[in-house]
Amino acid sequence: MVPSSRFRTENLPMDTDLPTTCVIVGGGPAGMIAGLLLARAGIEVVVLEKHRDFLRDFRGDTIHPATQDLLAEMGLLDDFLALPHADMPRVRMSWWGQDLTLADFTHLRTRRKVMTFMPQGDFLDLLADAGAREPQFRLIRRAEVVGLIQEDGRVAGVRASTPTGELSVRARLVIAADGRDSAVRDATGLIPVGGAAAMDVLWFRRLFYTSPSPPDRQKSRSLPFFSVGEGLVIAIDRNEFLQIAHVIPAGSWRGETRDLAAMRTRVAAIAPSLTPAVGALEVGDMRLLRVRIQRLRRWFVPGLLCIGDAAHAMSPAGGVGINLAIQDAVAAVRLLAPALRRGTPSVADLRRVQQRRMFPTRVIQGTQRAMQRFLLTSPRPRRMPLTLRMLARFPVLTRLTGRLIGVGPRPEHLDG
Ligand SMILES: Cc1cc2nc3c(=O)[nH]c(=O)nc-3n(C[C@H](O)[C@H](O)[C@H](O)COP(=O)(O)OP(=O)(O)OC[C@H]3O[C@@H](n4cnc5c(N)ncnc54)[C@H](O)[C@@H]3O)c2cc1C
């Protein structure tokens, strides 16, 4: 059996010049899926990841029904389900104490009709282990890409800084999957349009243990629950603890003591049962996520393609960033693998990937913009916005929202 990739790649000798067919910058969901699928398609691939492991601050860990279908197509669903996880058949929320369902996944035509929560690190480790079984796959950690190699008017590779010196990786194609602050994208001169969203998210670093007496567990044990009032509180029930986030108007958190006091008051109004827990929080227990909704007009330059958050930073609303990033990766591999086998993908090949993925990006980002309007601003205090009233009145509509969130507008499959 191949040893876990967690340990396998750490002590590789560092070549100073490493030729390959495709180099991927970033071992997040987009980069790892793209790397694994390219390797399985017989294409030599190097994934460069700046961190030594996948353990980071919380950054989302929802694996959608459509992504689970893809895992099944990749033969990884059983391994995935063997890891600790929590399933959510419906997204529920509470509007000033009135419970309603936002999205229902139980009627989807997917193999699993649930959204599954799994720490992103565990999920990426699973992909790294699968990659380690492929002879064409190489993951190099602690390799931070610091520059591009340009030749004959195209990107021909990347330069990375590693603990043992500089590494140059030349390739027929560079895939930038290095996230929303993509340095590789910036080095190409591609500039995303859009910008800061109307909301920021405060993640509570401290976890609220739910045993023996959970502070606010719902009777149905549905996960997560949202509470909307003077802002929004999201509590994701992770079995042993609650992971809590507070959505606030953009720019309203400056990390001062009075911000903390105001936050405690708001959370107490929105989710009263969290009052004692939130009362114990300090400024240092908060992590601010500045939400951005932006995307590139053009996702490529000759020799380089951006996918995932590097091409389109998403709001966390709906928890769709991982799903979308993975679907970009699947489409990119399906559309580019034949060209990579033949030689260097042309600009027209790269454009096809953008054309395929721009539509779902636009639809989801448009929905996220609309969602943040009603999440943060209510026309009259406590009056439920029309969208929510419709969902409460016609529960069948929650199947549509379930489809939009759980599958998305253009789900990808390995064979098209
Ligand atoms: C606080 C928070 C909560 C979120 N919640 C959710 C959620 O619930 N559900 C959801 O679906 N999405 C959520 N998201 C968004 C989600 O995390 C992203 O959309 C998704 O991870 C994008 O995947 P990606 O592979 O494109 O980029 P990323 O996951 O950002 O991965 C980029 C990778 O590139 C590496 N990297 C960066 N620069 C370099 C470099 N120069 N050289 C080498 N490597 C580099 C990084 O270390 C990272 O591993 C959340 C995000 C945040 C920040």
Side-chain angles (χ1 to χ4, degrees), residues 26-35 59-60 120 123-124 127 177 321-323 325-326 329:
M32 292 302 290
I33 290 278
R59 52 179 206 187
Q120 200 181 115
F123 178 64
L124 294 175
L127 299 177
I322 297 169
N323 199 34
I326 288 176

Side-chain angles (χ1 to χ4, degrees), residues 25-32 48-51 53-54 56-64 117 120 124 143-146 177-184 201 203 236 287 289 307-310 312 314-316 318-326:
V25 186
M32 292 302 290
L48 300 175
E49 167 53 50
K50 72 176 174 184
H51 290 104
D53 55 37
F54 295 126
R56 319 269 155 73
D57 257 350
F58 176 73
R59 52 179 206 187
D61 46 12
T62 48
I63 304 297
H64 289 227
F117 286 79
Q120 200 181 115
L124 294 175
E144 178 169 5
V145 171
V146 290
D178 50 341
R180 63 196 214 135
D181 295 316
S182 172
V184 173
V201 181
W203 288 99
I236 305 173
R287 181 174 186 273
L289 169 68
I307 61 171
D309 274 16
H312 45 71
M314 312 299 289
S315 152
V320 291
I322 297 169
N323 199 34
L324 218 62
I326 288 176

Side-chain angles (χ1 to χ4, degrees), residues 339-377:
L340 278 166
R341 271 192 219 101
R342 285 194 304 271
T344 302
S346 66
V347 160
D349 293 324
L350 304 181
R351 184 177 293 116
R352 266 193 285 282
V353 180
Q354 170 175 347
Q355 282 169 343
R356 169 98 197 151
R357 298 304 306 157
M358 190 57 120
F359 168 69
T361 304
R362 279 207 179 104
V363 172
I364 298 285
Q365 289 189 331
T367 311
Q368 290 185 324
R369 281 206 183 84
M371 277 171 79
Q372 70 178 15
R373 272 197 292 276
F374 79 70
L375 289 177
L376 284 175
T377 51

Side-chain angles (χ1 to χ4, degrees), residues 13-68:
M14 271 316 151
D15 312 83
T16 50
D17 208 342
L18 182 67
T20 188
T21 306
C22 179
V23 59
I24 298 176
V25 186
M32 292 302 290
I33 290 278
L36 177 57
L37 292 179
L38 281 171
R40 286 183 171 186
I43 291 160
E44 196 181 57
V45 60
V46 172
V47 181
L48 300 175
E49 167 53 50
K50 72 176 174 184
H51 290 104
R52 60 173 299 143
D53 55 37
F54 295 126
L55 303 171
R56 319 269 155 73
D57 257 350
F58 176 73
R59 52 179 206 187
D61 46 12
T62 48
I63 304 297
H64 289 227
T67 306
Q68 296 185 54

